[in-house]
């Protein structure tokens, strides 16, 4: 069976990430991906979870507490500032990251991810990604501002050096109403 978008996003993360590693949820929202990453890296790993909305940080904190996770670090800041929160030791690499673009469901549809900050965050993570590490981006683009973000990211990733990165696009081309799709970047070399 072909995997749906969210299943495939998790599958890609699962394939690339090991226990005890450092990973990033760049848009934690209600915390679904944060919890998933938390399981993948285990109690000695670390999940850095970002969101600009206090509401999202509170919702994710609640989930983390309910599931008794001790490896999640919630950061109420834009992911464009990720560099500030990464380990000072450059040998401590990131093994994976996920972005769910767009707005928080059932919340203010005007608070959305934006092209410039998303691209800055992607580039920062790429610098710190270990070999075979992966960034998975779930691109929602049906909302106002979504198309511009989608196009800016595609343009940016199109130019990534193929010697250093594999860039994948996965999505269903016969679905109506701007279905989300996945972009994934895997680092080939350190
Ligand atoms: C589609 S939702 C994420 C859903 C989430 N993965 C989940 O499991 O519920 C997108 C989130 O990105 C957040 N966001 C928007 N711009 C951001 C930024 N610059 N930095 C971090 N988070 C941002 C929004 O506040 C929103 O919560």
């Amino acid at each position: 069976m072909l995997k749906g978008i969210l299943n495939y996003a998790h599958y890609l993360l699962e394939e690339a990430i090991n226990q005890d590693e450092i990973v990033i949820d760049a848009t934690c929202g209600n915390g679904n991906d944060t919890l998933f990453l938390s399981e993948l890296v285990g109690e000695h790993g670390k999940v850095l979870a970002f969101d600009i909305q206090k509401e999202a940080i509170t919702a994710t904190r609640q989930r983390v507490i309910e599931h008794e996770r001790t490896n999640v670090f919630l950061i109420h800041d834009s992911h464009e500032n990720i560099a500030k929160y990464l380990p000072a030791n450059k040998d401590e690499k990131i093994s994976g990251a996920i972005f769910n673009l767009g707005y928080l469901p059932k919340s203010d549809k005007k608070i959305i991810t934006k092209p410039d900050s998303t691209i800055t965050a992607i580039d920062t993570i790429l610098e710190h990604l270990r070999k075979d590490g992966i960034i998975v981006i779930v691109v929602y683009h049906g909302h106002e501002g979504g198309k511009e973000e989608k196009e800016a990211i595609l343009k940016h990733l199109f130019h990534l050096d193929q010697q250093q990165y594999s860039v994948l696009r996965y999505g269903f081309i016969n679905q109506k109403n701007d279905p989300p799709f996945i972009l994934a970047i895997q680092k080939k070399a350190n």
Side-chain angles (χ1 to χ4, degrees):
M1 291 295 288
L2 295 176
K3 287 185 195 300
I5 294 299
L6 296 180
N7 272 342
Y8 195 65
H10 283 188
Y11 164 76
L12 290 171
L13 292 168
E14 213 163 16
E15 288 292 299
I17 294 168
N18 301 314
Q19 289 269 305
D20 304 347
E21 294 191 305
I22 306 171
V23 292
I24 293 173
D25 185 349
T27 54
C28 71
N30 289 318
N32 296 314
D33 296 322
T34 303
L35 282 184
F36 181 76
L37 290 170
S38 167
E39 297 276 346
L40 284 186
V41 296
E43 60 177 322
H44 300 300
K46 207 186 262 189
V47 185
L48 306 181
F50 291 82
D51 207 292
I52 48 168
Q53 289 193 75
K54 197 154 180 275
E55 183 187 343
I57 295 290
T58 305
T60 302
R61 178 173 297 115
Q62 193 61 36
R63 306 279 305 275
V64 164
I65 293 170
E66 274 165 21
H67 288 79
E68 300 180 353
R69 308 306 307 178
T70 53
N71 57 1
V72 175
F73 297 81
L74 292 165
I75 300 165
H76 184 198
D77 196 354
S78 169
H79 43 226
E80 73 193 303
N81 300 320
I82 273 175
K84 282 203 316 208
Y85 304 93
L86 293 179
N89 179 356
K90 286 244 163 26
D91 293 336
E92 282 194 76
K93 297 278 189 196
I94 304 299
S95 65
I98 185 158
F99 290 73
N100 264 270
L101 303 182
Y103 60 88
L104 184 62
K106 297 186 193 143
S107 178
D108 186 347
K109 290 190 180 167
K110 293 211 170 64
I111 305 178
I112 55 172
T113 50
K114 303 267 176 65
D116 288 355
S117 41
T118 302
I119 288 171
T120 301
I122 292 170
D123 285 349
T124 306
I125 298 170
L126 286 178
E127 275 173 40
H128 291 81
L129 204 63
R130 70 152 162 74
K131 182 175 176 299
D132 299 329
I134 201 164
I135 301 180
V136 176
I137 307 161
V138 182
V139 185
Y140 293 90
H141 52 101
H143 58 283
E144 209 182 313
K147 187 164 175 274
E148 290 74 14
E149 185 178 34
K150 172 187 89 172
E151 279 166 8
I153 295 170
L154 281 171
K155 190 169 163 206
H156 189 70
L157 300 191
F158 189 75
H159 294 292
L160 284 185
D161 178 2
Q162 67 172 31
Q163 304 296 332
Q164 283 199 64
Y165 302 104
S166 301
V167 185
L168 165 105
R169 179 174 177 160
Y170 177 92
F172 296 94
I173 63 170
N174 64 333
Q175 284 180 357
K176 293 192 172 47
N177 302 325
D178 306 313
F181 62 91
I182 287 175
L183 294 169
I185 313 159
Q186 188 157 41
K187 199 168 194 173
K188 292 167 135 179
N190 268 325

